Amino acid sequence: MPTYARLPVSFERGTGAWLYDQDGNPYLDALTGIAVCGLGHAHEGVQKVVAKQAGTLLHTSNLYEIDLQTSLAARLCEISGMDNVFFCNSGAEANEAAIKIARMYGHKLGIDNPIILVMRGAFHGRTLATLTATANRKIQAGFEPLVPGFVRTEFGDMDAVRATTKNTKNIVAVLVEPIQGEAGIHQPPTGYLRALRDHCEAHNWLLMLDEVQTGNARTGRYFAFQHERGLLPDVLTTAKGLGNGVPIGACLAAGKAAGMLGAGAHGSTFGGNLLACAAAHAVLDAIESGDLEARATALGKRIRSGIESALLGSNRIKEIRGLGLMIGVELAAETKGVVPAALERGLLINCIGDRVVRLLPALTMNDEEADELVARLADTLKAL
């Protein structure tokens, strides 16, 4: 089905920060499959583990114990401070699990029509429930009736949250991204997540963080919420970079949220199978052994300052923002054709609308490659 507006290139192989098309032409990958291949392409550790697991056992189903899944859950809980994990296959599925936890929580409080507070600018997925939670009428159009049980307020604005609280009954949870990715790489004010945490506790809500894109060391901490010391959500979702290209998602819960889903309440045929869990273990090993959280911070600063220097005095850039290797370059005016122009220069990026260039490079990119990314992007923008 023609659901994608594909670019006219097909890749045959990759290594590190580079992809090669069928003619052997190299492309510097500053998108990594939309924040998926955080370790780069053909990462040796992931490659070896996946090949070994494929030659041993791929899948048994969740009807049986899966030791790799149990140990992966333990590692993720240790990293995050959460209590337990439900494994699935994508970020949308992880957010579906979070939504089900919130609804179960509401029903156990005696609320027949529980409401989840979501944000303008949010993106949580394309299933019917996560599509409803997402604030994008363009991708919702034609799929009505949407799922009831959501109310929307302004992202990063605690006064708006308080006003919505007064005007809406039966709110049981808030679902929010620590940094909005699909909206254009927008960070809330410092202390916003802490204030949300306090507000949730005061009203007996669940704080649910969508770290599908921000997780797995992309922002300079394993999870973005960890930039605020001592903060712990009730529910936490992630996917994308967890498997470095092998599909896996995770919904983590803590405290009162951790006991919401019992046997038979939720499930997934493929979720947390041996291959996916083996790949995720390899990703965690690489992040820990390579100190890739610190590397993401250093590379992000290098790229942002490099773009600023390369375009100093230019009227092409309105703002450069982001955290770690989650970077948005907002252009001063709508400029169509940025992505294909970059492709012609051997650089892979994407744009959010016609104004924001999004950069999500590999955490393993070296300094020379980071500088090359800056040079090719600057050349692209100057040419336009």
Side-chain angles (χ1 to χ4, degrees):
M1 297 183 186
T3 56
Y4 306 101
R6 300 184 194 269
L7 290 165
V9 63
S10 178
F11 300 110
E12 190 173 74
R13 64 185 178 89
T15 178
W18 296 88
L19 285 169
Y20 299 85
D21 67 16
Q22 294 170 327
D23 297 320
N25 298 310
Y27 294 80
L28 185 56
D29 189 359
L31 189 60
T32 59
I34 316 179
V36 169
C37 298
L39 305 183
H41 301 288
H43 183 271
E44 185 177 3
V46 176
Q47 180 187 150
K48 287 181 178 178
V49 166
V50 168
K52 180 181 178 182
Q53 192 62 50
T56 305
L57 188 63
L58 289 176
H59 178 83
T60 61
S61 92
N62 285 295
L63 295 175
Y64 313 103
E65 295 288 345
I66 303 173
D67 290 342
L68 279 174
Q69 184 185 117
T70 303
S71 58
L72 178 61
R75 292 182 75 179
L76 287 173
C77 286
E78 183 179 3
I79 290 168
S80 64
M82 306 297 281
D83 293 336
N84 56 20
V85 187
F86 174 81
F87 287 108
C88 50
N89 311 288
S90 69
E93 289 180 45
N95 286 331
E96 283 277 345
I99 290 166
K100 291 179 76 171
I101 287 172
R103 288 194 168 190
M104 183 69 77
Y105 174 72
H107 282 286
K108 289 191 175 184
L109 290 177
I111 299 172
D112 292 333
N113 299 295
I115 302 294
I116 299 171
L117 180 64
V118 293
M119 303 296 161
R120 292 189 175 90
F123 184 92
H124 297 295
R126 291 177 180 266
T127 62
L128 275 176
T130 59
L131 184 70
T132 306
T134 292
N136 187 326
R137 280 301 304 156
K138 183 178 179 181
I139 67 172
Q140 290 174 342
F143 298 112
E144 296 85 359
L146 299 176
V147 177
F150 298 91
V151 63
R152 202 173 307 281
T153 193
E154 295 296 332
F155 176 67
D157 186 342
M158 280 306 303
D159 287 338
V161 171
R162 295 183 188 101
T164 305
T165 304
K166 289 181 181 179
N167 296 329
T168 308
K169 295 181 179 180
N170 297 340
I171 296 176
V172 298
V174 54
L175 176 62
V176 61
E177 302 154 277
I179 300 172
Q180 289 191 334
E182 301 300 321
I185 317 296
H186 291 291
Q187 291 176 255
T190 301
Y192 173 69
L193 292 183
R194 169 64 62 191
L196 271 181
R197 171 75 278 175
D198 293 343
H199 192 82
C200 287
E201 290 179 3
H203 292 83
N204 202 25
W205 299 354
L206 300 179
L207 175 61
M208 308 197 301
L209 299 184
D210 176 347
E211 295 231 24
V212 170
Q213 189 168 153
T214 56
N216 308 295
R218 179 145 297 278
T219 69
R221 296 296 303 272
Y222 194 88
F223 291 109
F225 79 85
Q226 293 171 325
H227 287 283
E228 293 199 36
R229 183 173 296 180
L231 179 69
L232 188 70
D234 298 294
V235 180
L236 172 67
T237 62
T238 194
K240 286 191 181 289
L242 182 56
N244 209 61
V246 177
I248 182 171
C251 178
L252 296 82
K256 57 193 175 186
M260 287 298 110
L261 299 181
H266 197 37
S268 170
T269 297
F270 295 104
N273 73 12
L274 289 115
L275 182 69
C277 288
H281 272 292
V283 169
L284 294 186
D285 289 344
I287 290 173
E288 292 171 3
S289 64
D291 196 14
L292 295 185
E293 294 175 21
R295 184 63 181 153
T297 297
L299 271 175
K301 289 179 179 177
R302 187 182 187 97
I303 291 170
R304 289 194 301 273
S305 64
I307 295 170
E308 186 176 334
S309 297
L311 295 166
L312 193 65
S314 167
N315 60 357
R316 294 172 174 83
I317 301 298
K318 179 181 179 181
E319 185 181 19
I320 303 168
R321 53 183 177 260
L323 191 62
L325 287 174
M326 190 173 179
I327 301 169
V329 181
E330 185 172 353
L331 307 179
E334 291 188 5
T335 307
K336 295 183 179 180
V338 176
V339 172
L343 185 70
E344 290 177 3
R345 289 162 175 80
L347 178 65
L348 305 178
I349 59 173
N350 85 327
C351 278
I352 300 165
D354 293 324
R355 281 185 182 263
V356 181
V357 175
R358 179 168 53 170
L359 305 175
L360 301 164
L363 314 179
T364 54
M365 178 177 275
N366 62 40
D367 289 352
E368 291 74 20
E369 290 165 336
D371 294 343
E372 184 65 23
L373 185 165
V374 169
R376 294 189 186 196
L377 179 62
D379 183 53
T380 299
L381 296 180
K382 288 175 181 178
L384 290 172

